[in-house]
Every structure is written in structure tokens, then in C-alpha cells.
Amino acid sequence: MSEQDTPDPSYDVIVIGGGPVGENAAERTASAGLRTVLVEAERYGGECSFWACMPSKALLRPPEAVDAARHVPGGGTAAAGDLDVPAVLRSRDEFTAHWDDAGQVEWAVGVGIEILRGHGRLAGERAVEVTTGDGVRQLTARHAVVVATGSVPAEPPIEGLADTKHWGSREATSAHEVPPSLVVLGGGVVGSEMAQAFTGLGSRVTLVADSGLLGRAEPFAGEMLADSLRAQGVTLHTGARARGVDRDDQGVHLQLDDGSTVSGDELLVATGRRPATSDLGLETVGLEPGQTLTVDDSGVVEGLDGNWLHAVGDVNGRAPLTHQGKHQARIVGSVVVARARGELPDTIAAWTAYSLAADHVAVPQVVFTTPQVASVGRTAAEAGEAGLRTRVVDLDIDVAGAYLHRESYSGKARFVVDEDRRVLVGVTFVGPDVAELLHSATVAVAGEVPLERLWHAVPSYPTISEVWLRFLEEYGL
């Protein structure tokens, strides 16, 4: 149906949150014939489409491509000019459809999803109230309510921050001017990527990260990225914590606990995110507002009876990545459909086809910096903490395909092997364009492919994928 009120408030499935995760859950149930409504307070397509994945990569890719051209024989001359920054920003605007969600709405209606624009909140068991521009609508769900409200920025309690105008990730990815100088607070994925992007677009960037970069990755990944950012002109402060901030006519000033001050025209605070559950009506079903919605491996929220409330994506805290949330949504959609048809029991012990098991063992992630950082599964430290008996194989990415790809190619790889099962449980690549290596690693980890079998997956010559051969040789096969 079109974007309008409907007289019947009873649905089979109500999905709260119209980002890519909610869209996937709603599509799965609607395509199976369940009457499904998708409730969204802002833009259909959500954070990823308008303020995160798509616009950030649109900002990162042009400087990366120019840098790549300058590092192949003959490319330096061709790429000797300056980056056309206005063209980059126009392209970013096109990728976000100029922040117009009409196309997303058309898609949803086209696949049979009913849509309702407004703020959705739980209002008791299987009940949702939606505050729209015309008032409040009361909805009920015969089978399931799926929460896909995502996350919001989590800002630290720094003196003066709340009263000082600054950027969050949304302001950074939607900026229509590149500030002459930018201070980035936070060394995670968002902070690192935006430091990379604005450096490439011509801003003087200072990055403050008290515990270094990419703290959840293998340590060498953060170290290599830090070295690269410094070489590109980023000033890094990695031993001091921010304690105060203020703004005057000269810009914004961040005071650090080592007594120094860093200043810039703009400040980007990228210090993590928290689940968007503060105004979700959780108290009406006996849950605590503002908390992560803990789910079992079928996506059912724990602590409630009836298997009617599900949570997918960032809001459940399991694997806060768009692709992983979409996978959860497809699984949960299938669970809801199967339950509605009476095809599944009330326990999930043997539901291998309906399980969020990938969240535990094989979550892939790419940080789109230069170098890229691509990883899946456990780090060496995490594998040890899990009690696995492991062997770690570290290699330089030193193969013919790498040097054909880029002059003076520099990259590293780490493979974490469970010695008892002789399967990979974690892989990390750091280097130019290693993102495209990651799915092979994800298949190996998720599929628990025995190394003796992996030996027969022969990489093509000359490609960067030959690093797989070097790993297996180093391991002893």
C-alpha cells in the first residue's frame, strides 16, 4: 500500500525501524504472505543509506582511487592534478539520493510492505503505538513485533562538550564543505575512516585516540594504519584522554589530560554508539529502556514469554554491522514465517537453518582506510580467551599479484588456526584493496573448512589471493 493510514490496525507482523535491517525483515515476512507494516520515524533506508555506509564510502573512494593511480607505473603523471572536491561531494549526494527516501518507499510498497511514517513504541504485549503527524495510531501484531531501531552516537562525559557545537558521524558524512582543519575524537572505525576521508579531501586532520586505533582488531592492524595516516599528514595523539572542550572565534579547542590542546575549525566526536532503545516503550513489557535487547539465536528477545518480540541489528548488540544485521533480519523473518505456519516448535535447539550462529564465529568487517583492514572471526587474543589451542601464522603479503597491483605493495596477514580441529577461526588482512580477499576467509571460517581441504582451493596466478598458498605452505602443507 502507499504511504498512508489504513483502517485496519491489526497486522501479522509489525517492524519498528525502516533501515536496511528492518527492510530485510519486513520483506521476508511480506513475501511469505504475512501482512507486514514497516514503521519509520525518519527516512526509509536508515542510517546506512543516508549517513553511514554509503556516504562515507562515497567520500573515501575518490581519494583512494587517485592514490592507487599514483602507485602504478605511469599513473603518477596521469593523476598529478588535485582532486575535484565539489565533484566528490556531488557524487556523495547522488549516492544518498539527496537524502530523499522516495525510492526506498517505492521499493517497500512494490514488494508488498505497508509503511507507516511515525515514531513507533511498544505499548504492551504485541501492541505498538505510532505517533504520526496526524496523531497516535494503535497497532497490534498477530504473530510478531520486530525491533530494528539501530543505534545512536554515544558521547563521552567531557566537560563543555554538550554545550559546544560539534559534529557527529551524520554531520561528517553529510558535510557540504570541507573544513580547513578537523579534530577527530575517537580511533575506532568511524574516527579512522573520517580522518582518512577528510585528509584525502584536503583538510588538516588531528586524530585523538587515547588507546590507539582500531582497538578491537589485531594490534598490528592499528599500528599499520597509524603509520599510514601519519605519512598522509594526519597528526595523531594516542596517549592522552580528552578532558574539556570549548569553541571561540578561532575554532574549537580540545584539552587533553597531558596538558596539551588541539584545535581545529570543526570537531568530530566518534566515540562509539549505543542501542536506540531509550524511547521504545520497553517499560510496557517489563524491560529496561536504554538497554541492549538481548536475544537468543532465533532473534527472540529474552525475558519475555510467547516468542513474539524480536530484535535485529545494532539494537541487540551482537554484531553491529549492516551486513550482519541484514543477515539476522533474514533469519528472523524466516523464523517468524515458520512459527506463523506452525512449522517450528517453541525451542530452537536444532534449528540450524534458523540460527544466528554466524554472530558467534564468523563476523566479517572491512575498515575502508588506506591501508584497508579486513577481518573475520576471532583475533588471536580472543581465540586464546575462548580456550582454543591455536597456532598463529603471520605473513607479509609478498606475492607477484600484489606487486603487479601496486608499486612497493605493503601488507600483512594473520591466520589463526584451531589446532585441535585444524580449521581457521580468524583471519586479518591489512593492505591496499584487501577487502576483496575477505569473503574467501569468511567462507573458510564459517564453513570450518579443514586445512587439508583448503589446500586444494588453488589461488589464481598472479593475484593477491596467492597469500592463501603462502599461508598453507608456511603452516606445513
Side-chain angles (χ1 to χ4, degrees), residues 393-410:
V393 177
D394 288 331
L395 295 171
D396 290 328
I397 301 179
D398 184 11
V399 294
Y403 293 112
L404 286 169
H405 188 78
R406 182 184 178 100
E407 288 181 324
S408 302
Y409 189 101
S410 178

Side-chain angles (χ1 to χ4, degrees), residues 18-237:
V21 176
E23 287 175 336
N24 273 265
E27 181 186 26
R28 185 61 62 103
T29 57
S31 66
L34 298 184
R35 187 184 181 210
T36 301
V37 63
L38 183 60
V39 179
E40 171 55 40
E42 291 188 274
R43 290 175 176 82
Y44 285 90
E47 201 78 17
C48 183
S49 298
F50 297 107
W51 297 288
C53 314
M54 296 306 292
S56 66
K57 304 315 169 281
L59 294 175
L60 285 158
R61 178 55 184 162
E64 178 190 46
V66 172
D67 179 70
R70 289 171 177 165
H71 286 84
V72 294
T77 302
D82 294 330
L83 190 70
D84 186 344
V85 173
V88 173
L89 298 181
R90 287 195 299 272
S91 175
R92 184 274 318 274
D93 293 351
E94 291 172 2
F95 274 107
T96 62
H98 300 272
W99 291 273
D100 183 346
D101 67 353
Q104 302 288 141
V105 170
E106 182 179 2
W107 169 84
V109 173
V111 298
I113 300 168
E114 298 184 34
I115 64 173
L116 179 59
R117 199 181 297 271
H119 178 73
R121 301 177 80 255
L122 296 175
E125 183 174 341
R126 302 176 190 269
V128 173
E129 65 177 24
V130 183
T131 302
T132 73
D134 298 323
V136 178
R137 287 196 52 193
Q138 305 292 331
L139 311 179
T140 59
R142 283 181 284 271
H143 298 297
V145 175
V146 181
V147 176
T149 49
S151 60
V152 293
E155 296 192 344
I158 297 173
E159 183 179 353
L161 181 60
D163 300 319
T164 302
K165 181 182 177 182
H166 60 278
W167 285 0
S169 57
R170 284 191 173 191
E171 288 79 13
T173 58
S174 63
H176 280 89
E177 293 184 0
V178 175
S181 58
L182 173 68
V183 176
V184 178
L185 178 61
V189 175
V190 173
S192 297
E193 287 190 346
M194 289 299 95
Q196 175 82 64
F198 280 91
T199 296
L201 295 173
S203 189
R204 299 188 308 278
V205 175
T206 301
L207 175 61
V208 178
D210 62 305
S211 56
L213 304 184
L214 306 182
R216 295 184 179 180
E218 295 283 8
F220 73 88
E223 293 165 4
M224 291 181 66
L225 177 56
D227 289 343
S228 175
L229 289 177
R230 289 189 185 99
Q232 295 173 61
V234 176
T235 300
L236 263 63
H237 290 261

Side-chain angles (χ1 to χ4, degrees), residues 20-21 48 53 314 319-327:
V21 176
C48 183
C53 314
D314 288 11
L321 298 158
T322 297
H323 49 273
Q324 211 69 20
K326 290 165 67 175
H327 177 69

Side-chain angles (χ1 to χ4, degrees), residues 352-389:
T352 55
Y354 300 95
S355 171
L356 305 184
D359 292 342
H360 301 297
V361 297
V363 175
Q365 180 173 16
V366 178
V367 185
F368 290 89
T369 46
T370 301
Q372 292 177 347
V373 178
S375 60
V376 62
R378 293 183 170 100
T379 63
E382 289 168 344
E385 291 167 1
L388 300 180
R389 187 175 67 88

